[in-house]
Amino acid sequence: MADWQEITGGVTAPKGYRAAGITAGLKPSGLPDLALIVSDVEAIAAGVFTTSQVKAACVDYCRQILQAKPSALAILCNAGQANAATGSQGVRDANESAALLAKELNIDPELILLASTGVIGKRIKMDALRSGIPKLVASLSETGSDAAAGAIITTDLVPKTIALETTIGDRPVRIGGIAKGSGMIHPNMATMLAFVTCDAAVSPHLWQQMLSRAADKSFNSITVDGDTSTNDSLIALANGQSRTPAITEMGAEAEKLEAMLTAVCQHLAKEIARDGEGATCLIEVQVTGTHDDLAARQIAKTIAGSSLVKSAIFGRDPNWGRIAAAAGRAGVPFEQDNLQIKLGNFLLLENGQPLQFDRAAASAYLKQAATNYPVADVVATNNSNDLSGDVRSNIKTQRLDNPVIITVSVGNDHGTGKAWGCDLSYDYVKINAEYTT
Protein backbone atom coordinates (compact mmCIF):
# COMPACT_ATOMS: atom_id res chain seq x y z
CA MET A 1 0.00 0.00 0.00
CA ALA A 2 1.25 3.49 -0.86
CA ASP A 3 2.04 5.64 2.14
CA TRP A 4 -0.05 8.54 0.84
CA GLN A 5 -3.51 9.35 -0.44
CA GLU A 6 -4.77 11.18 -3.49
CA ILE A 7 -6.43 14.53 -2.83
CA THR A 8 -7.86 17.33 -4.95
CA GLY A 9 -6.28 20.65 -5.71
CA GLY A 10 -3.39 20.02 -8.10
CA VAL A 11 -0.56 22.53 -7.69
CA THR A 12 -2.56 24.56 -5.17
CA ALA A 13 -3.15 21.58 -2.86
CA PRO A 14 0.16 22.14 -0.99
CA LYS A 15 0.10 25.05 1.45
CA GLY A 16 1.20 28.46 0.30
CA TYR A 17 0.52 28.28 -3.44
CA ARG A 18 -1.83 30.12 -5.77
CA ALA A 19 -2.38 29.65 -9.49
CA ALA A 20 -4.24 31.13 -12.42
CA GLY A 21 -4.95 30.51 -16.09
CA ILE A 22 -6.48 32.97 -18.52
CA THR A 23 -7.08 33.67 -22.19
CA ALA A 24 -4.62 36.37 -23.20
CA GLY A 25 -4.98 36.08 -26.96
CA LEU A 26 -1.83 34.03 -27.62
CA LYS A 27 -3.69 31.13 -29.26
CA PRO A 28 -5.68 31.74 -32.44
CA SER A 29 -8.37 29.43 -31.07
CA GLY A 30 -9.27 31.81 -28.26
CA LEU A 31 -8.73 29.10 -25.66
CA PRO A 32 -6.83 29.74 -22.38
CA ASP A 33 -3.14 30.30 -23.07
CA LEU A 34 -1.37 31.94 -20.12
CA ALA A 35 -0.72 30.30 -16.74
CA LEU A 36 0.91 31.32 -13.50
CA ILE A 37 1.91 29.49 -10.30
CA VAL A 38 3.04 31.57 -7.32
CA SER A 39 4.41 30.56 -3.93
CA ASP A 40 3.62 32.82 -0.97
CA VAL A 41 7.23 32.53 0.16
CA GLU A 42 10.49 31.93 -1.67
CA ALA A 43 10.68 28.23 -2.54
CA ILE A 44 13.55 25.89 -3.24
CA ALA A 45 13.47 25.24 -7.00
CA ALA A 46 14.75 22.36 -9.11
CA GLY A 47 14.47 21.63 -12.80
CA VAL A 48 15.07 19.04 -15.49
CA PHE A 49 15.13 20.28 -19.08
CA THR A 50 15.38 19.14 -22.70
CA THR A 51 18.56 17.48 -23.91
CA SER A 52 18.09 18.94 -27.40
CA GLN A 53 20.78 21.20 -28.81
CA VAL A 54 17.98 23.39 -30.18
CA LYS A 55 16.44 24.92 -27.08
CA ALA A 56 13.73 27.48 -26.44
CA ALA A 57 14.71 30.77 -24.84
CA CYS A 58 12.81 29.84 -21.67
CA VAL A 59 14.97 26.71 -21.20
CA ASP A 60 18.25 28.64 -21.30
CA TYR A 61 16.69 31.31 -19.08
CA CYS A 62 15.63 28.81 -16.40
CA ARG A 63 18.95 27.01 -16.42
CA GLN A 64 20.79 30.28 -15.86
CA ILE A 65 18.44 31.31 -13.06
CA LEU A 66 18.68 27.97 -11.24
CA GLN A 67 22.46 27.80 -11.59
CA ALA A 68 22.77 31.22 -9.98
CA LYS A 69 20.30 30.50 -7.16
CA PRO A 70 18.05 27.43 -6.82
CA SER A 71 14.96 29.28 -5.62
CA ALA A 72 11.86 30.90 -7.11
CA LEU A 73 8.56 32.55 -6.29
CA ALA A 74 6.70 32.11 -9.57
CA ILE A 75 6.41 30.05 -12.77
CA LEU A 76 4.97 31.77 -15.86
CA CYS A 77 3.92 29.66 -18.85
CA ASN A 78 2.60 30.77 -22.22
CA ALA A 79 0.96 28.44 -24.74
CA GLY A 80 0.66 29.07 -28.46
CA GLN A 81 4.23 29.99 -29.35
CA ALA A 82 7.27 27.92 -28.39
CA ASN A 83 9.70 30.86 -28.63
CA ALA A 84 12.27 28.30 -29.83
CA ALA A 85 14.67 28.98 -32.71
CA THR A 86 13.70 32.66 -32.51
CA GLY A 87 17.22 34.06 -32.12
CA SER A 88 18.24 37.00 -29.96
CA GLN A 89 14.78 38.56 -30.14
CA GLY A 90 13.34 35.45 -28.53
CA VAL A 91 15.80 35.85 -25.66
CA ARG A 92 14.74 39.46 -25.24
CA ASP A 93 11.09 38.41 -25.25
CA ALA A 94 11.75 35.87 -22.49
CA ASN A 95 13.58 38.44 -20.38
CA GLU A 96 10.80 40.98 -20.90
CA SER A 97 8.20 38.38 -19.89
CA ALA A 98 9.96 37.88 -16.57
CA ALA A 99 10.38 41.63 -16.06
CA LEU A 100 6.69 42.32 -16.74
CA LEU A 101 5.56 39.70 -14.24
CA ALA A 102 8.14 40.80 -11.67
CA LYS A 103 6.83 44.35 -11.82
CA GLU A 104 3.23 43.21 -11.42
CA LEU A 105 4.11 40.94 -8.46
CA ASN A 106 6.61 43.45 -7.03
CA ILE A 107 9.36 40.83 -6.81
CA ASP A 108 12.85 40.32 -8.22
CA PRO A 109 12.78 39.01 -11.85
CA GLU A 110 15.39 36.42 -10.85
CA LEU A 111 12.72 34.72 -8.74
CA ILE A 112 10.62 33.96 -11.81
CA LEU A 113 10.93 30.82 -13.96
CA LEU A 114 9.54 30.62 -17.49
CA ALA A 115 8.07 27.98 -19.79
CA SER A 116 6.64 28.17 -23.31
CA THR A 117 4.85 25.74 -25.59
CA GLY A 118 3.51 25.92 -29.11
CA VAL A 119 4.85 26.15 -32.64
CA ILE A 120 8.65 26.16 -32.98
CA GLY A 121 9.98 29.28 -34.70
CA LYS A 122 7.17 31.49 -33.44
CA ARG A 123 7.86 34.35 -31.03
CA ILE A 124 5.59 35.04 -28.11
CA LYS A 125 2.85 37.51 -29.02
CA MET A 126 4.24 40.15 -26.71
CA ASP A 127 1.40 42.67 -27.07
CA ALA A 128 -1.06 40.02 -25.88
CA LEU A 129 1.31 38.98 -23.10
CA ARG A 130 1.81 42.55 -21.90
CA SER A 131 -1.92 43.14 -21.60
CA GLY A 132 -2.53 39.69 -20.14
CA ILE A 133 -0.06 39.80 -17.25
CA PRO A 134 -2.12 42.14 -14.99
CA LYS A 135 -5.25 40.09 -15.63
CA LEU A 136 -3.34 36.90 -14.88
CA VAL A 137 -2.01 38.18 -11.55
CA ALA A 138 -5.46 39.44 -10.59
CA SER A 139 -6.84 35.95 -11.23
CA LEU A 140 -4.50 34.19 -8.80
CA SER A 141 -6.40 31.88 -6.48
CA GLU A 142 -5.81 29.11 -3.96
CA THR A 143 -8.15 27.05 -6.15
CA GLY A 144 -6.63 28.09 -9.47
CA SER A 145 -4.81 24.87 -10.35
CA ASP A 146 -7.39 23.62 -12.85
CA ALA A 147 -7.38 26.96 -14.65
CA ALA A 148 -3.58 26.83 -14.90
CA ALA A 149 -3.67 23.21 -16.10
CA GLY A 150 -6.10 24.17 -18.84
CA ALA A 151 -4.04 27.15 -19.97
CA ILE A 152 -0.80 25.24 -20.67
CA ILE A 153 -2.18 22.62 -23.07
CA THR A 154 -1.92 22.66 -26.88
CA THR A 155 -2.89 19.49 -28.77
CA ASP A 156 -3.79 17.75 -25.50
CA LEU A 157 -7.36 16.54 -25.36
CA VAL A 158 -7.56 16.86 -21.57
CA PRO A 159 -5.63 18.69 -18.81
CA LYS A 160 -3.39 16.60 -16.57
CA THR A 161 -3.32 17.08 -12.81
CA ILE A 162 -2.68 15.19 -9.55
CA ALA A 163 -2.13 15.87 -5.84
CA LEU A 164 -0.99 13.50 -3.08
CA GLU A 165 -0.71 13.84 0.70
CA THR A 166 1.37 11.98 3.27
CA THR A 167 2.45 12.56 6.87
CA ILE A 168 5.95 13.56 7.92
CA GLY A 169 6.68 14.41 11.55
CA ASP A 170 2.97 14.15 12.42
CA ARG A 171 2.14 16.91 9.94
CA PRO A 172 0.53 16.64 6.50
CA VAL A 173 2.84 17.14 3.53
CA ARG A 174 1.46 17.57 0.04
CA ILE A 175 2.80 17.43 -3.51
CA GLY A 176 0.74 18.61 -6.48
CA GLY A 177 1.41 18.68 -10.18
CA ILE A 178 0.07 19.70 -13.56
CA ALA A 179 1.44 18.80 -16.98
CA LYS A 180 0.90 19.12 -20.70
CA GLY A 181 2.00 16.88 -23.51
CA SER A 182 0.52 14.90 -26.35
CA GLY A 183 2.96 14.82 -29.27
CA MET A 184 6.71 15.11 -29.83
CA ILE A 185 7.12 12.88 -26.77
CA HIS A 186 10.23 10.76 -26.24
CA PRO A 187 12.55 9.78 -23.36
CA ASN A 188 15.15 12.30 -22.25
CA MET A 189 12.23 14.63 -21.81
CA ALA A 190 9.62 15.35 -24.44
CA THR A 191 7.34 18.09 -25.74
CA MET A 192 6.00 18.32 -22.29
CA LEU A 193 5.81 20.77 -19.50
CA ALA A 194 5.30 19.69 -15.91
CA PHE A 195 5.11 21.88 -12.82
CA VAL A 196 5.25 20.38 -9.34
CA THR A 197 4.64 22.09 -6.01
CA CYS A 198 5.47 20.78 -2.54
CA ASP A 199 5.08 22.28 0.92
CA ALA A 200 7.92 20.32 2.57
CA ALA A 201 11.26 21.91 3.44
CA VAL A 202 14.08 20.27 1.48
CA SER A 203 17.68 21.29 0.89
CA PRO A 204 18.31 22.52 -2.68
CA HIS A 205 20.83 19.82 -3.60
CA LEU A 206 18.64 17.02 -2.29
CA TRP A 207 15.51 18.39 -3.98
CA GLN A 208 17.30 18.48 -7.33
CA GLN A 209 18.55 14.92 -6.86
CA MET A 210 15.05 13.73 -5.97
CA LEU A 211 13.54 15.42 -9.01
CA SER A 212 16.17 14.04 -11.38
CA ARG A 213 15.62 10.49 -10.14
CA ALA A 214 11.84 10.92 -10.33
CA ALA A 215 12.17 12.20 -13.91
CA ASP A 216 14.16 9.12 -14.93
CA LYS A 217 11.38 6.87 -13.64
CA SER A 218 8.55 8.88 -15.18
CA PHE A 219 8.92 11.56 -17.87
CA ASN A 220 12.12 9.99 -19.20
CA SER A 221 10.28 6.67 -19.51
CA ILE A 222 7.46 7.70 -21.82
CA THR A 223 7.31 7.92 -25.59
CA VAL A 224 4.65 8.79 -28.15
CA ASP A 225 6.52 9.36 -31.39
CA GLY A 226 10.28 9.29 -30.81
CA ASP A 227 10.77 13.04 -31.09
CA THR A 228 12.44 15.04 -28.32
CA SER A 229 11.37 18.67 -28.18
CA THR A 230 12.98 22.08 -27.80
CA ASN A 231 10.95 23.20 -24.79
CA ASP A 232 10.81 20.27 -22.36
CA SER A 233 10.74 21.53 -18.81
CA LEU A 234 10.04 19.89 -15.46
CA ILE A 235 10.12 22.44 -12.64
CA ALA A 236 9.49 21.66 -8.97
CA LEU A 237 9.10 24.05 -6.05
CA ALA A 238 9.32 23.21 -2.32
CA ASN A 239 8.32 26.10 -0.03
CA GLY A 240 8.43 24.58 3.46
CA GLN A 241 4.96 25.81 4.41
CA SER A 242 3.97 22.46 5.91
CA ARG A 243 6.21 23.52 8.81
CA THR A 244 7.86 20.12 8.97
CA PRO A 245 11.57 19.84 9.89
CA ALA A 246 13.89 20.47 6.98
CA ILE A 247 15.00 17.36 5.08
CA THR A 248 18.69 17.72 4.30
CA GLU A 249 19.88 14.16 3.68
CA MET A 250 18.53 10.79 2.63
CA GLY A 251 16.73 8.85 5.32
CA ALA A 252 13.26 7.49 6.01
CA GLU A 253 11.51 10.85 5.62
CA ALA A 254 13.44 11.75 2.48
CA GLU A 255 12.68 8.36 0.97
CA LYS A 256 8.97 8.80 1.68
CA LEU A 257 8.96 12.27 0.12
CA GLU A 258 10.87 11.10 -2.95
CA ALA A 259 8.56 8.13 -3.41
CA MET A 260 5.55 10.46 -3.37
CA LEU A 261 7.28 12.86 -5.77
CA THR A 262 7.97 9.95 -8.10
CA ALA A 263 4.33 8.84 -7.89
CA VAL A 264 3.16 12.34 -8.86
CA CYS A 265 5.55 12.42 -11.81
CA GLN A 266 4.61 8.92 -12.94
CA HIS A 267 0.91 9.74 -12.84
CA LEU A 268 1.43 12.84 -14.98
CA ALA A 269 3.76 10.95 -17.34
CA LYS A 270 1.21 8.20 -17.88
CA GLU A 271 -1.48 10.80 -18.53
CA ILE A 272 0.75 12.30 -21.22
CA ALA A 273 1.35 8.92 -22.83
CA ARG A 274 -2.36 8.08 -22.64
CA ASP A 275 -3.21 11.38 -24.33
CA GLY A 276 -0.72 10.87 -27.17
CA GLU A 277 -1.84 12.49 -30.39
CA GLY A 278 -4.36 10.21 -32.05
CA ALA A 279 -3.83 7.49 -29.44
CA THR A 280 -6.52 4.99 -28.56
CA CYS A 281 -4.81 3.25 -25.64
CA LEU A 282 -2.04 3.47 -23.07
CA ILE A 283 0.78 0.90 -23.27
CA GLU A 284 2.81 -0.12 -20.22
CA VAL A 285 5.97 -2.18 -20.79
CA GLN A 286 7.40 -4.03 -17.79
CA VAL A 287 10.89 -5.53 -18.05
CA THR A 288 12.69 -7.78 -15.56
CA GLY A 289 15.84 -9.88 -15.36
CA THR A 290 18.49 -7.35 -16.42
CA HIS A 291 21.73 -6.64 -14.56
CA ASP A 292 20.39 -3.28 -13.33
CA ASP A 293 17.30 -1.07 -13.46
CA LEU A 294 18.77 1.26 -16.08
CA ALA A 295 19.14 -1.60 -18.54
CA ALA A 296 15.58 -2.73 -17.90
CA ARG A 297 14.24 0.78 -18.54
CA GLN A 298 16.28 0.92 -21.75
CA ILE A 299 14.62 -2.22 -23.09
CA ALA A 300 11.19 -1.04 -21.94
CA LYS A 301 11.60 2.36 -23.63
CA THR A 302 12.76 0.73 -26.85
CA ILE A 303 9.70 -1.50 -26.99
CA ALA A 304 7.30 1.30 -26.06
CA GLY A 305 8.85 3.52 -28.72
CA SER A 306 8.85 1.00 -31.55
CA SER A 307 6.65 2.21 -34.41
CA LEU A 308 6.05 -1.40 -35.41
CA VAL A 309 4.95 -2.39 -31.91
CA LYS A 310 2.75 0.68 -31.64
CA SER A 311 1.17 0.02 -35.04
CA ALA A 312 0.45 -3.59 -34.12
CA ILE A 313 -1.26 -2.50 -30.92
CA PHE A 314 -3.41 -0.04 -32.87
CA GLY A 315 -4.31 -2.85 -35.28
CA ARG A 316 -5.14 -5.10 -32.27
CA ASP A 317 -2.58 -7.58 -33.62
CA PRO A 318 -0.78 -9.65 -30.94
CA ASN A 319 2.38 -9.73 -33.04
CA TRP A 320 4.94 -10.65 -30.39
CA GLY A 321 7.74 -10.82 -32.98
CA ARG A 322 7.84 -7.04 -33.09
CA ILE A 323 8.22 -6.94 -29.31
CA ALA A 324 11.07 -9.46 -29.45
CA ALA A 325 12.80 -7.52 -32.22
CA ALA A 326 12.58 -4.24 -30.27
CA ALA A 327 13.96 -5.88 -27.13
CA GLY A 328 16.82 -7.34 -29.12
CA ARG A 329 17.93 -3.99 -30.57
CA ALA A 330 17.73 -2.07 -27.29
CA GLY A 331 21.49 -2.30 -26.78
CA VAL A 332 21.24 -4.47 -23.66
CA PRO A 333 22.92 -7.89 -23.88
CA PHE A 334 20.87 -10.94 -22.90
CA GLU A 335 20.56 -14.58 -23.92
CA GLN A 336 17.81 -15.16 -26.46
CA ASP A 337 16.98 -18.47 -24.78
CA ASN A 338 15.99 -16.54 -21.63
CA LEU A 339 13.47 -14.28 -23.38
CA GLN A 340 9.87 -14.39 -22.19
CA ILE A 341 7.05 -12.20 -23.55
CA LYS A 342 3.52 -11.78 -22.23
CA LEU A 343 0.66 -9.64 -23.51
CA GLY A 344 -1.71 -9.13 -20.62
CA ASN A 345 -2.22 -12.63 -19.28
CA PHE A 346 -1.30 -14.28 -22.58
CA LEU A 347 2.09 -16.01 -22.53
CA LEU A 348 3.43 -15.72 -26.08
CA LEU A 349 7.10 -16.68 -25.79
CA GLU A 350 8.88 -18.76 -23.15
CA ASN A 351 12.61 -19.56 -22.96
CA GLY A 352 13.00 -18.08 -26.42
CA GLN A 353 10.42 -20.50 -27.87
CA PRO A 354 7.05 -19.46 -29.40
CA LEU A 355 3.94 -20.83 -27.71
CA GLN A 356 0.46 -21.58 -28.91
CA PHE A 357 -2.06 -19.01 -27.66
CA ASP A 358 -5.60 -17.87 -28.36
CA ARG A 359 -4.91 -15.17 -30.97
CA ALA A 360 -8.55 -14.02 -31.12
CA ALA A 361 -8.70 -13.61 -27.34
CA ALA A 362 -5.40 -11.72 -27.31
CA SER A 363 -6.71 -9.40 -30.00
CA ALA A 364 -9.89 -8.89 -27.98
CA TYR A 365 -7.72 -7.91 -25.01
CA LEU A 366 -6.15 -5.17 -27.12
CA LYS A 367 -9.55 -3.98 -28.31
CA GLN A 368 -10.84 -3.78 -24.75
CA ALA A 369 -8.03 -1.44 -23.73
CA ALA A 370 -9.22 1.08 -26.32
CA THR A 371 -12.95 0.99 -25.56
CA ASN A 372 -12.88 3.47 -22.69
CA TYR A 373 -11.27 6.40 -24.48
CA PRO A 374 -12.56 7.03 -28.03
CA VAL A 375 -9.95 9.63 -28.95
CA ALA A 376 -9.98 8.70 -32.61
CA ASP A 377 -13.67 9.57 -32.92
CA VAL A 378 -13.02 13.00 -31.43
CA VAL A 379 -9.91 13.77 -33.49
CA ALA A 380 -11.48 12.57 -36.71
CA THR A 381 -14.13 15.29 -36.52
CA ASN A 382 -12.15 18.07 -34.85
CA ASN A 383 -8.85 19.84 -35.29
CA SER A 384 -7.19 19.00 -31.97
CA ASN A 385 -5.37 22.34 -32.01
CA ASP A 386 -8.74 24.09 -31.90
CA LEU A 387 -11.07 21.93 -29.84
CA SER A 388 -13.77 23.97 -28.14
CA GLY A 389 -14.25 23.85 -24.41
CA ASP A 390 -17.49 21.92 -24.89
CA VAL A 391 -15.76 19.25 -26.96
CA ARG A 392 -12.93 18.95 -24.44
CA SER A 393 -15.35 18.66 -21.52
CA ASN A 394 -17.24 15.87 -23.26
CA ILE A 395 -14.15 13.73 -23.74
CA LYS A 396 -14.11 10.93 -21.19
CA THR A 397 -11.63 11.11 -18.34
CA GLN A 398 -8.49 9.18 -19.16
CA ARG A 399 -8.39 5.60 -17.96
CA LEU A 400 -4.92 5.03 -16.56
CA ASP A 401 -6.10 1.83 -14.88
CA ASN A 402 -6.69 -0.04 -18.14
CA PRO A 403 -3.43 -0.07 -20.13
CA VAL A 404 -2.16 -2.68 -22.52
CA ILE A 405 0.43 -4.55 -20.44
CA ILE A 406 3.50 -5.97 -22.19
CA THR A 407 5.70 -8.01 -19.84
CA VAL A 408 9.21 -9.02 -20.89
CA SER A 409 11.79 -11.05 -18.97
CA VAL A 410 15.33 -11.42 -20.26
CA GLY A 411 16.98 -13.33 -17.42
CA ASN A 412 17.17 -13.89 -13.68
CA ASP A 413 19.03 -10.77 -12.51
CA HIS A 414 17.50 -8.18 -10.20
CA GLY A 415 17.02 -5.28 -12.66
CA THR A 416 13.47 -4.05 -13.30
CA GLY A 417 12.08 -1.16 -15.28
CA LYS A 418 8.93 0.29 -16.82
CA ALA A 419 8.08 2.55 -19.73
CA TRP A 420 4.83 3.96 -21.04
CA GLY A 421 3.65 4.82 -24.51
CA CYS A 422 0.61 4.65 -26.74
CA ASP A 423 -0.45 3.13 -30.01
CA LEU A 424 0.22 4.77 -33.38
CA SER A 425 -2.98 5.56 -35.24
CA TYR A 426 -3.92 7.10 -38.57
CA ASP A 427 -4.93 10.24 -36.71
CA TYR A 428 -1.38 10.88 -35.47
CA VAL A 429 -0.36 11.53 -39.07
CA LYS A 430 -3.46 13.66 -39.70
CA ILE A 431 -2.80 15.87 -36.65
CA ASN A 432 0.86 16.43 -37.44
CA ALA A 433 0.43 16.74 -41.20
CA GLU A 434 -1.84 19.74 -40.61
CA TYR A 435 -0.18 21.14 -37.48
CA THR A 436 0.60 24.64 -38.80
CA THR A 437 -1.93 24.78 -41.63
Side-chain angles (χ1 to χ4, degrees), residues 2 34 53 63 85 91 98 128 144-145 169 178-179 205 228 248 281 353 356 371-372 396 399 412 418 421 426-427:
L34 194 59
Q53 296 301 303
R63 280 179 169 153
V91 175
S145 181
I178 60 174
H205 183 66
T228 296
T248 59
C281 63
Q353 300 295 315
Q356 295 295 321
T371 58
N372 296 303
K396 291 183 179 181
R399 289 291 302 273
N412 298 313
K418 294 182 180 179
Y426 312 129
D427 290 301

Side-chain angles (χ1 to χ4, degrees), residues 71-253:
S71 62
L73 275 167
I75 302 170
L76 175 67
C77 177
N78 72 279
Q81 300 85 45
N83 199 25
T86 50
S88 58
Q89 185 58 55
V91 175
R92 288 192 288 271
D93 290 343
N95 290 332
E96 183 183 352
S97 300
L100 290 167
L101 180 59
K103 182 177 179 181
E104 196 68 27
L105 291 173
N106 193 28
I107 63 174
D108 189 326
E110 294 181 354
L111 291 173
I112 294 171
L113 298 174
L114 302 176
S116 300
T117 184
V119 179
I120 295 170
K122 297 293 185 180
R123 288 178 50 202
I124 301 170
K125 294 180 179 179
M126 293 305 294
D127 287 344
L129 186 79
R130 292 183 191 106
S131 60
I133 290 288
K135 179 183 175 182
L136 182 67
V137 172
S139 301
L140 282 168
S141 165
E142 293 180 353
T143 58
S145 181
D146 286 347
I152 66 175
I153 61 177
T154 51
T155 60
D156 310 51
L157 293 178
V158 291
K160 300 156 182 68
T161 181
I162 183 69
L164 301 177
E165 179 183 273
T166 191
T167 301
I168 295 178
D170 297 324
R171 297 185 67 89
V173 170
R174 296 176 174 180
I175 299 179
I178 60 174
K180 67 84 53 180
S182 185
M184 204 179 281
I185 305 294
H186 193 59
N188 295 323
M189 301 293 284
T191 278
M192 51 142 286
L193 302 176
F195 308 124
V196 174
T197 58
C198 175
D199 53 18
V202 191
S203 67
H205 183 66
L206 187 59
W207 188 233
Q208 179 64 59
Q209 288 182 330
M210 288 181 175
L211 187 66
S212 296
R213 288 192 291 262
D216 283 341
K217 297 177 181 178
S218 58
F219 300 112
N220 283 344
S221 293
I222 58 173
T223 183
V224 169
D225 48 21
D227 278 295
T228 296
S229 173
T230 57
N231 290 56
D232 314 329
S233 299
L234 165 60
I235 299 172
L237 305 179
N239 67 5
Q241 291 301 287
S242 63
R243 304 301 181 188
T244 51
I247 299 174
T248 59
E249 59 184 19
M250 290 306 296
E253 292 180 344

Side-chain angles (χ1 to χ4, degrees), residues 45-93:
V48 179
F49 302 97
T50 182
T51 59
S52 174
Q53 296 301 303
V54 180
K55 300 178 289 295
C58 57
V59 171
D60 287 332
Y61 173 91
C62 286
R63 280 179 169 153
Q64 292 170 6
I65 291 292
L66 293 177
Q67 285 173 2
K69 185 182 180 183
S71 62
L73 275 167
I75 302 170
L76 175 67
C77 177
N78 72 279
Q81 300 85 45
N83 199 25
T86 50
S88 58
Q89 185 58 55
V91 175
R92 288 192 288 271
D93 290 343

Side-chain angles (χ1 to χ4, degrees), residues 295-341:
R297 288 200 300 270
Q298 185 170 330
I299 294 175
K301 288 187 288 188
T302 303
I303 295 170
S306 165
S307 294
L308 290 176
V309 171
K310 290 153 64 68
S311 297
I313 299 299
F314 174 68
R316 319 310 174 206
D317 178 10
N319 187 346
W320 60 263
R322 293 180 173 180
I323 300 171
R329 67 174 173 83
V332 176
F334 63 84
E335 293 296 328
Q336 181 173 325
D337 289 345
N338 291 331
L339 183 62
Q340 180 193 83
I341 297 174

